[in-house]
Amino acid sequence: MRSTTLLALLALVLLYLVSGALVFRALEQPHEQQAQRELGEVREKFLRAHPCVSDQELGLLIKEVADALGGGADPETNSTSNSSHSAWDLGSAFFFSGTIITTIGYGNVALRTDAGRLFCIFYALVGIPLFGILLAGVGDRLGSSLRRGIGHIEAIFLKWHVPPELVRVLSAMLFLLIGCLLFVLTPTFVFCYMEDWSKLEAIYFVIVTLTTVGFGDYVAGADPRQDSPAYQPLVWFWILLGLAYFASVLTTIGNWLRVVSRRTRAEMGGLTAQAASWTGTVTARVTQRVGPAAPPPEKERPLLLPPPCPAQPLVRPRSPSPPEKAQPPSPPTASALDYPSENLAFIDESSDTQSERGCPLPRAPRGRRRPNPPRKPVRPRGPGRPRDKDVPV
């Protein structure tokens, strides 16, 4: 990811956080102030009704009660009651362990002993990766099962000659609807019945749980009236399947984004190629109309041209003057050979040009003519080959 994209994403997240903070403060701060005023009024009423209790003693009592509630104590249970409810029975402890490895951590029940906290550290370090592996496997199986079922529905749509693009959209919507029906709506009605919650409270608990937020203000099975030991373990298995479904949904969204990114890159590459081809075509057409631009002059040594052929005299029929004798052509100057580093191909070009024009080629000086090299003797290849006359034995 590029630095600019990362900074833009960070700015967007910070803006989202600030907007959420403003909305939550506007919604929840008045309720908090009202609850604090009501608590002060109840406290003053208690002190007026019981003048023997001092303000300091009442404050210590409230603090002790708050700590006991945080430790899992039930204020409705006293020492004389025969209630067997405990926050650390086998079902509740199993549910608490499940909230550790799923990283939900409701917080309604917390560890109070040093030994329990030390064991929780190592338990979480081992259990969280183990649960992650399990979640990936369950999500794969669950997603493949749902997609297999949706594939049969897609085949039915294709038999009805529905366009493939519309079939893909319908299959994605069915995947989301079936998952929401199984893991969101059905548990909502179950919790409304079992916990005596409203529909808003139940769906609030479902979403907070499956997103692993886990505030802890609403926890299934925390009510002392739920005395079934298998209730909270069943809730944990629902959490496992719901998290696996959400993981498969996120995986599907990630794959879809990758496909869209690849298609976008391919389309952009095609557009870039078309733009380059169009630019080249336009440039070629403009060049053909205007003409090629002259290349910049290069600094080279001037080449000496060969002397021109002597002009032949024109014979005029009207004037009976005797014809003039043709003057022999002047020998070409050897200035082209004065520079050893000059382009020696000039000699051949000048001779060809003069021969085409019918001009006599200049003869080389006698002293510069090289003798023909002697011929090498040819040895006979076979015994029956006659000897050459000119070759000495």
Side-chain angles (χ1 to χ4, degrees):
M1 185 178 292
R2 297 181 180 178
S3 301
T4 55
T5 306
L6 186 61
L7 292 176
L9 186 60
L10 177 61
L12 179 62
V13 171
L14 292 177
L15 181 62
Y16 191 75
L17 290 175
V18 170
S19 61
L22 293 176
V23 172
F24 287 131
R25 186 183 68 173
L27 294 176
E28 297 296 329
Q29 192 174 22
H31 180 73
E32 178 192 8
Q33 295 174 355
Q34 180 65 25
Q36 192 69 32
R37 285 194 299 267
E38 291 178 356
L39 178 61
E41 292 175 0
V42 171
R43 183 172 181 173
E44 292 295 332
K45 186 185 294 185
F46 181 83
L47 290 176
R48 287 195 301 267
H50 304 83
C52 60
V53 180
S54 63
D55 191 6
Q56 292 78 12
E57 293 176 352
L58 181 59
L60 291 175
L61 177 62
I62 293 174
K63 185 177 180 181
E64 293 291 336
V65 170
D67 291 340
L69 292 175
D74 185 11
E76 298 180 358
T77 304
N78 51 31
S79 59
T80 59
S81 62
N82 297 324
S83 177
S84 61
H85 175 75
S86 173
W88 292 105
D89 57 3
L90 184 59
S92 301
F94 179 86
F95 185 75
F96 177 79
S97 301
T99 59
I100 292 175
I101 65 175
T102 57
T103 68
I104 295 176
Y106 287 111
N108 62 320
V109 178
L111 299 171
R112 296 296 177 179
T113 61
D114 294 338
R117 292 167 181 169
L118 182 62
F119 175 74
C120 182
I121 293 173
F122 295 100
Y123 188 79
L125 292 177
V126 176
I128 291 174
L130 186 62
F131 180 78
I133 298 172
L134 175 64
L135 187 65
V138 174
D140 189 13
R141 288 295 183 89
L142 184 62
S144 61
S145 300
L146 289 176
R147 283 191 293 269
R148 193 180 302 111
I150 293 173
H152 296 292
I153 301 176
E154 289 181 354
I156 295 174
F157 283 135
L158 291 175
K159 288 181 180 179
W160 293 346
H161 302 287
V162 180
E165 294 79 8
L166 184 58
V167 171
R168 292 175 184 174
V169 174
L170 291 176
S171 62
M173 293 179 63
L174 283 175
F175 182 77
L176 295 176
L177 288 176
I178 292 174
C180 291
L181 179 63
L182 292 177
F183 304 109
V184 177
L185 293 180
T186 302
T188 298
F189 290 104
V190 171
F191 291 133
C192 287
Y193 175 75
M194 298 295 295
E195 300 289 338
D196 199 15
W197 291 340
S198 64
K199 292 182 177 60
L200 179 59
E201 293 172 344
I203 198 170
Y204 167 77
F205 168 75
V206 169
I207 298 301
V208 167
T209 299
L210 294 182
T211 54
T212 67
V213 176
F215 290 117
D217 49 353
Y218 289 91
V219 180
D223 194 351
R225 293 175 294 179
Q226 296 293 339
D227 53 355
S228 176
Y231 177 67
Q232 284 189 323
L234 290 176
V235 173
W236 184 84
F237 280 104
W238 160 74
I239 292 174
L240 172 62
L241 295 177
L243 291 177
Y245 167 73
F246 272 85
S248 63
V249 169
L250 293 178
T251 303
T252 304
I253 293 174
N255 295 334
W256 179 74
L257 290 177
R258 290 192 192 94
V259 171
V260 170
S261 177
R262 291 175 183 175
R263 289 182 179 178
T264 304
R265 291 178 183 177
E267 291 177 358
M268 291 301 296
L271 292 176
T272 305
Q274 291 180 2
S277 176
W278 179 80
T279 305
T281 304
V282 171
T283 305
R285 291 180 179 178
V286 172
T287 305
Q288 290 178 359
R289 293 180 179 179
V290 177
E298 298 180 359
K299 294 182 179 180
E300 297 179 353
R301 290 183 179 182
L303 298 177
L304 297 177
L305 298 177
C309 295
Q312 298 292 337
L314 299 176
V315 180
R316 298 180 180 179
R318 295 183 181 180
S319 59
S321 59
E324 297 180 358
K325 296 182 179 180
Q327 297 180 359
S330 60
T333 59
S335 59
L337 301 177
D338 293 340
Y339 302 98
S341 62
E342 196 66 41
N343 188 6
L344 299 180
F346 163 74
I347 302 174
D348 298 333
E349 293 177 359
S350 62
S351 61
D352 295 341
T353 305
Q354 291 180 4
S355 61
E356 290 178 359
R357 293 180 180 178
C359 300
L361 297 177
R363 296 180 180 178
R366 294 181 179 179
R368 296 184 182 180
R369 181 175 297 177
R370 297 180 180 178
N372 295 329
R375 297 178 63 182
K376 296 181 181 180
V378 180
R379 296 180 180 180
R381 297 182 181 178
R385 183 175 179 178
R387 298 178 181 178
D388 298 334
K389 296 179 180 181
D390 299 334
V391 179
V393 180

